[in-house]
Amino acid sequence: TNARRNFPADTDGSRVWLAGGYEPSAAAQDMEIYRPAVSCNTPTPTVVPSNTPTATQPPTNTATATSTVAATNTVAPSSTVAASSTVAATATRTAAPTITPGPSATPCTLSFTDVHTTDYFYTPVLYLACHGVISGYSNGDGTFSFRPYNNTTRSQMVKIVVLGYNKPIVTPAAGAYTFTDVPPSNPFFAVVETAAADTIVSGYTCGGPNEPCDSAHRPYFRPYNNVTRGQLAKIDVVAAGWEVINPATGSFEDVLPGTAFYTFVETAVCHGVISGYNCGGPGEPCDSQNRPYYRQYTNATRGQIAKIVYNSLSSQQTCGGPTATPGP
């Protein structure tokens, strides 16, 4: 294209950059390449349009879904602290195409080679892809894959939620960014700042191992850590704007009252968005109520995230009962 996009990193004359972005306010439907000046007759690389990729990890070859697909058992950060004071926004832009809550006819026939009509995430993936929320990976032969069983990073999850819920993009004044490890040069900067401004996400206090404090004592977001099922429930419930509930007895054997994700998981259950795994498997004995397990510290996969976000957008179920104060 012959015009600079809103957020391309095109100032480094020694590298080739592949850029997505907004044109000028809607999510771009193609990609753009920037490269240093070269002599005449030097071929220009051709980029296959694919929206903006939402993940970078290699495929994970596990996957059998009951209600939701299991993932590897990697434990997430133990405590999440609220981010530092919210910075004033200097620009507000309209995010990706509007999502209409509730199931509707899919407006396109986009398909992925690894997403089949029999998969539990088929309709969610197709719906979100057709609305510009998620994209895939080129297979090099003109087809694309979604990699539904890949783990997903915190920044990728935030991007899906911000675009899925059509949050207006907000970026802070120069130098006033929220997280030490998500500066303006980070490809997820705009969506992470938007999520922070809407209190959808928070960070980790600086000063821990390998996370020194800068002059502003900004917290860390850890954008490339995998997101867990517990974090997924929290991010999705807050983004949906649901009032959290705090029932006396939990729905899952492994998510106890008073723990970090309890109210968010219970709220998601109440809205019919998530379910769990039957008790009785290895390391998951049944209690007197035969409650299922949620596996809150297991990494969330791309297929699971697509399903939960789609279910939240389509949920018409209301909840009541004792409430707790929504967390950051």
Side-chain angles (χ1 to χ4, degrees):
T1 59
N2 60 3
R4 183 183 186 276
R5 293 236 175 97
N6 287 359
F7 307 113
D10 59 351
T11 58
D12 186 336
S14 64
R15 303 181 184 179
V16 175
W17 296 89
L18 183 66
Y22 297 86
E23 302 177 310
S25 60
Q29 297 301 307
D30 58 359
M31 305 296 292
E32 196 170 341
I33 194 163
Y34 293 83
R35 59 177 173 78
V38 294
S39 60
C40 295
N41 300 320
T42 301
T44 300
T46 300
V47 180
V48 179
S50 64
N51 293 329
T52 304
T54 58
T56 56
Q57 287 112 350
T60 300
N61 296 321
T62 57
T64 298
T66 52
S67 301
T68 359
V69 176
T72 54
N73 295 319
T74 301
V75 176
S78 56
S79 60
T80 301
V81 266
S84 58
S85 56
T86 304
V87 294
T90 57
T92 302
R93 298 181 177 87
T94 302
T98 302
I99 302 295
T100 302
S104 60
T106 304
C108 72
T109 56
L110 179 66
S111 61
F112 298 111
T113 56
D114 53 356
V115 177
H116 311 289
T117 55
T118 54
D119 292 327
Y120 76 91
F121 46 76
Y122 173 77
T123 297
V125 168
L126 194 61
Y127 179 85
L128 295 175
C130 289
H131 284 79
V133 176
I134 58 177
S135 57
Y137 302 81
S138 173
N139 295 324
D141 58 0
T143 63
F144 294 85
S145 59
F146 179 64
R147 303 179 186 175
Y149 303 116
N150 275 20
N151 294 329
T152 305
T153 66
R154 284 165 57 82
S155 52
Q156 291 163 354
M157 171 66 198
V158 164
K159 178 183 176 184
I160 293 172
V161 167
V162 166
L163 297 185
Y165 284 98
N166 197 32
K167 299 293 184 181
I169 298 297
V170 177
T171 54
Y177 53 95
T178 305
F179 301 108
T180 297
D181 52 352
V182 189
S185 59
N186 187 286
F188 295 98
F189 173 72
V191 291
V192 170
E193 286 293 342
T194 298
D198 287 347
T199 66
I200 295 171
V201 298
S202 55
Y204 301 84
T205 303
C206 66
N210 301 314
E211 292 181 340
C213 295
D214 63 9
S215 59
H217 281 74
R218 294 182 180 92
Y220 283 75
F221 181 65
R222 302 176 186 172
Y224 301 113
N225 280 17
N226 288 331
V227 69
T228 66
R229 286 168 54 83
Q231 293 169 339
L232 167 59
K234 176 183 177 181
I235 291 170
D236 183 71
V237 165
V238 176
W242 292 329
E243 184 177 23
V244 296
I245 63 171
N246 190 10
T249 303
S251 303
F252 301 106
E253 168 69 14
D254 57 342
V255 185
L256 302 178
T259 55
F261 300 114
Y262 178 74
T263 57
F264 302 106
V265 168
E266 289 300 324
T267 301
V269 170
C270 188
H271 282 275
V273 171
I274 62 174
S275 55
Y277 303 82
N278 291 334
C279 66
E284 295 179 339
C286 294
D287 64 6
S288 59
Q289 302 173 59
N290 289 315
R291 288 181 297 178
Y293 284 74
Y294 181 63
R295 302 177 185 172
Q296 59 181 320
Y297 299 118
T298 297
N299 291 337
T301 65
R302 283 165 60 80
Q304 291 172 344
I305 290 170
K307 178 186 176 182
I308 289 174
V309 171
Y310 173 78
N311 284 352
S312 299
L313 292 169
S314 7
S315 176
Q316 302 298 316
Q317 192 167 316
T318 57
C319 298
T323 59
T325 303

